Amino acid sequence: ILTTSGPGLTNIITPLQDAKGDSVPIVALSGQVPTSVVGTDAFQECSAVDLTRPCCKWSYQVRSVEEVRSVVHEAFAVAQQGKKGPVHLDLPKDVMVALLQGESLPVVPQPPSPPVDLSTIADVARLMNAAERPILYVGQGAIDYKETLTALAHASNTPVTTTLHAMGTFDEHEDLSLHMLGMHGAAYANYAVQNADLILAVGSRFDDRTTGVLPKYAPAAKAAEREGRGGIVHFDIERSQIGRVVQPTHAVEGDCGDAMRALLPLVEHRPRAAWIEQLRQWKAQVPFAYTPAPDGQLKTQQIIERMYQVTKGPLQEKLVVSTGVGNHQMMAAQFYRWSQPRTIITSGSLGTMGFGLPAAIGAQLSRPDATVVLIDGDSSFNMTLNDLGTVAEHNLPLKMFIFNDGRQQMVHVWQKLFFDGRLVATDNVNPDYAMLAQSFGISAWRCEHESELSACIERMFSTEGPVLVDFKVVPDICLPMVAPGKALDEMFLPGDISLSDDRKLDGMAPN
């Protein structure tokens, strides 16, 4: 990222915090006033390093031209080393225009990552080989190791569930896939975690959205630990993450790819017929589902489901999906089947509305051969829709699905369920999105009825250049849902609750 001083710097605070939470390596370079006036409240001066330090792995102000080379080299190394994340360099104007006389400071080599402890790996292998109901709970830290993870799951006959960002790291079309777990994840994945006697957390950090209330988390695994036949194993590259949320039975510090490769030759294939059959039954009994809207009206889930049918196959191999934040984000995770890592670009930890369109632009620029799809809600889209100008300027062939229900639906639902229906600032005043896109020279139209849906989506993908469609959708509640203060397997399932219910839920609303 390259930005100006003052407001340019303050405008990247949210992206930096987003990148830190989601472990995305970014190097941000910001302009700064000359060193001679730093600290004088000069025009467009701000305390850049102080502002960015809490949301970066490293933030530093370059003070001399001699250190530019070594500092920039180190910035890229720090962003990529260990748990990835953002780095910020503040660049005073006088340093940037100075000429280097003589040699720059030497580049300091980065130390190699420590090897995994093979004795711990052997202990983990013994637990895996003895477990009756194991599960691999996989996070973003494993997205570079799809082949290794797949080999480990097959070799040990262990089912796999993933976090939002790890979707596609294990092919969701496989029988062993339990898809995404968590607050709005698959009910069968949540049941599996709660009933597993061995949980192998690979490159994940036990985020609250994936655990439910902690005292009720993983009761079967904790019982198995007490009996010496199972428990929780945490694979993480960052020592500070281990034991931070959940105290593991065994901790494997280091790169999870190295750990899985070391574990692979030690595991045994066991049929686990009862466990596999139980998972199959849960999948059949509590699949992702929704109630169709009356009179041919559209629902977000229905459109995403149809988009998957249109794109699965050869087109899916080059498909990248970017989302905003809200119901549409979770429904995209639920009703699309992910087969490759890094094919969903979304804001997870920070939940930044407005993320979808700028991220789609970045994905298209970095992957010009890919078909990049934006799945966005009207509320998220409203926050960065000015970037349609960038789409038009570069003629980026984005396929933009705008799910327009006229309100911030996820927040609306929480206000209704947790705050006695006191609705505040969740209704939108939206522009005509099709006309807005057309004013930028972008092909755009509306879709309002299920009779138009298939032809509309096929037209989107067959039209060259950027396309935006304003889908008029009926508001809905995103289910399953684990309410705050509840265990991971204490969910509202499809059919359990609806927008017409007058019930009030206890406890705090979700963050």
Side-chain angles (χ1 to χ4, degrees):
I1 300 175
L2 182 63
T3 190
T4 59
S5 61
L9 180 281
T10 57
N11 278 344
I12 68 169
I13 297 294
T14 298
L16 290 175
Q17 184 62 45
D18 206 329
K20 185 180 181 184
D22 289 346
S23 301
V24 178
I26 285 177
V27 174
L29 308 175
S30 66
Q32 182 57 282
V33 299
T35 54
S36 60
V37 294
V38 167
T40 67
D41 291 333
F43 177 67
Q44 291 199 334
E45 180 197 0
C46 68
S47 300
V49 171
D50 291 336
L51 287 170
T52 62
R53 186 179 288 119
C55 52
C56 288
K57 291 183 70 177
W58 181 45
S59 185
Y60 181 76
Q61 186 178 85
V62 179
R63 303 293 292 182
S64 71
V65 68
E66 288 79 17
E67 65 176 342
V68 168
R69 176 172 173 263
S70 60
V71 167
V72 170
H73 185 279
E74 182 157 354
F76 279 88
V78 169
Q80 292 280 356
Q81 188 179 33
K83 186 178 181 182
K84 298 177 174 61
V87 169
H88 166 235
L89 297 181
D90 196 37
L91 309 173
K93 182 178 179 180
D94 54 326
V95 174
M96 288 299 96
V97 299
L99 294 175
L100 177 62
Q101 304 290 336
E103 296 184 358
S104 60
L105 297 176
V107 172
V108 178
Q110 296 292 320
S113 298
V116 296
D117 185 340
L118 295 182
S119 64
T120 303
I121 291 292
D123 291 336
V124 173
R126 283 191 288 272
L127 286 178
M128 287 189 72
N129 294 334
E132 296 294 335
R133 302 184 305 279
I135 187 169
L136 284 156
Y137 152 49
V138 178
Q140 182 168 327
I143 60 174
D144 290 326
Y145 307 115
K146 174 181 170 66
E147 291 77 14
T148 307
L149 172 64
T150 302
L152 179 62
H154 289 170
S156 61
N157 197 28
T158 301
V160 179
T161 185
T162 70
T163 63
L164 176 65
H165 282 119
M167 291 190 308
T169 304
F170 188 77
D171 190 340
E172 291 191 348
H173 300 92
E174 294 221 17
D175 289 340
L176 285 174
S177 173
L178 298 176
H179 310 132
M180 183 186 77
L181 84 165
M183 178 181 175
H184 291 296
Y188 41 86
N190 292 351
Y191 289 155
V193 168
Q194 293 294 84
N195 286 274
D197 57 7
L198 180 65
I199 298 172
L200 300 128
V202 182
S204 53
R205 56 185 175 85
F206 299 100
D207 178 84
D208 63 286
R209 284 294 201 264
T210 67
T211 63
V213 65
L214 287 172
K216 296 182 178 181
Y217 180 66
K222 291 174 181 176
E225 178 186 21
R226 290 191 294 269
E227 297 168 10
R229 55 179 179 82
I232 299 172
V233 179
H234 192 181
F235 298 78
D236 205 294
I237 200 166
E238 186 173 329
R239 178 177 296 177
S240 65
Q241 291 289 342
I242 295 172
R244 183 179 180 182
V245 178
V246 171
Q247 188 62 45
T249 311
H250 291 289
V252 182
E253 182 186 350
D255 190 292
C256 67
D258 293 340
M260 287 191 291
R261 282 187 288 269
L263 189 58
L264 190 53
L266 305 179
V267 299
E268 301 169 358
H269 188 282
R270 294 190 54 200
R272 299 189 174 95
W275 182 228
I276 299 300
E277 175 59 20
Q278 177 64 82
L279 298 176
R280 188 196 64 77
Q281 290 180 16
W282 282 333
K283 280 185 173 183
Q285 292 165 0
V286 285
F288 288 122
Y290 62 95
T291 302
D295 304 321
Q297 297 178 92
L298 295 172
K299 281 199 171 180
T300 298
Q301 306 96 312
Q302 175 186 8
I303 298 167
I304 294 169
E305 198 171 46
R306 185 57 195 154
M307 187 195 85
Y308 170 63
Q309 295 299 324
V310 169
T311 59
K312 70 178 181 180
L315 180 58
Q316 189 180 14
E317 295 176 6
K318 290 189 174 182
L319 197 76
V320 175
V321 176
S322 175
T323 84
V325 169
N327 269 3
H328 65 278
Q329 176 191 32
M330 294 294 98
M331 291 169 180
Q334 293 174 346
F335 289 92
Y336 201 87
R337 293 280 67 87
W338 308 88
S339 59
Q340 296 295 326
R342 291 194 172 91
T343 50
I344 180 166
I345 312 298
T346 194
S347 173
S349 181
L350 199 59
T352 306
M353 295 176 69
F355 177 92
L357 181 56
I361 291 170
Q364 189 71 81
L365 289 170
S366 66
R367 290 275 307 276
D369 62 323
T371 300
V372 178
V373 173
L374 170 64
I375 291 178
D376 218 347
D378 52 336
S379 302
S380 274
F381 187 63
N382 286 346
M383 298 191 178
T384 47
L385 53 75
N386 58 294
D387 276 327
L388 286 174
T390 305
V391 175
E393 177 185 357
H394 298 282
N395 194 33
L396 300 175
L398 302 181
K399 310 306 175 189
M400 294 172 276
F401 290 67
I402 309 304
F403 297 95
N404 183 359
D405 60 11
R407 62 197 192 197
Q408 298 176 43
Q409 178 60 12
M410 184 170 278
V411 182
H412 179 99
V413 169
W414 293 344
Q415 288 179 346
K416 187 175 188 302
L417 294 178
F418 292 94
F419 296 98
D420 289 328
R422 295 190 294 274
L423 305 176
V424 179
T426 54
D427 290 325
N428 295 341
V429 178
N430 291 333
D432 184 316
Y433 294 119
M435 291 183 66
L436 177 67
Q438 290 166 4
S439 72
F440 283 99
I442 294 171
S443 297
W445 59 88
R446 296 184 197 87
C447 182
E448 302 186 30
H449 195 273
E450 64 179 3
S451 63
E452 309 170 299
L453 183 58
S454 294
C456 173
I457 294 176
E458 290 168 4
R459 179 184 170 194
M460 289 182 73
F461 286 100
S462 62
T463 300
E464 293 190 4
V467 178
L468 182 148
V469 175
D470 180 358
F471 290 94
K472 300 292 186 180
V473 297
V474 175
D476 203 0
I477 184 170
C478 186
L479 299 173
M481 181 176 75
V482 180
K486 300 297 184 180
L488 192 59
D489 53 355
E490 295 177 326
M491 294 164 282
F492 289 112
L493 299 173
D496 288 349
I497 190 171
S498 72
L499 294 178
S500 61
D501 289 353
D502 292 327
R503 74 177 74 186
K504 180 184 183 295
L505 301 185
D506 297 327
M508 292 188 296
N511 297 334

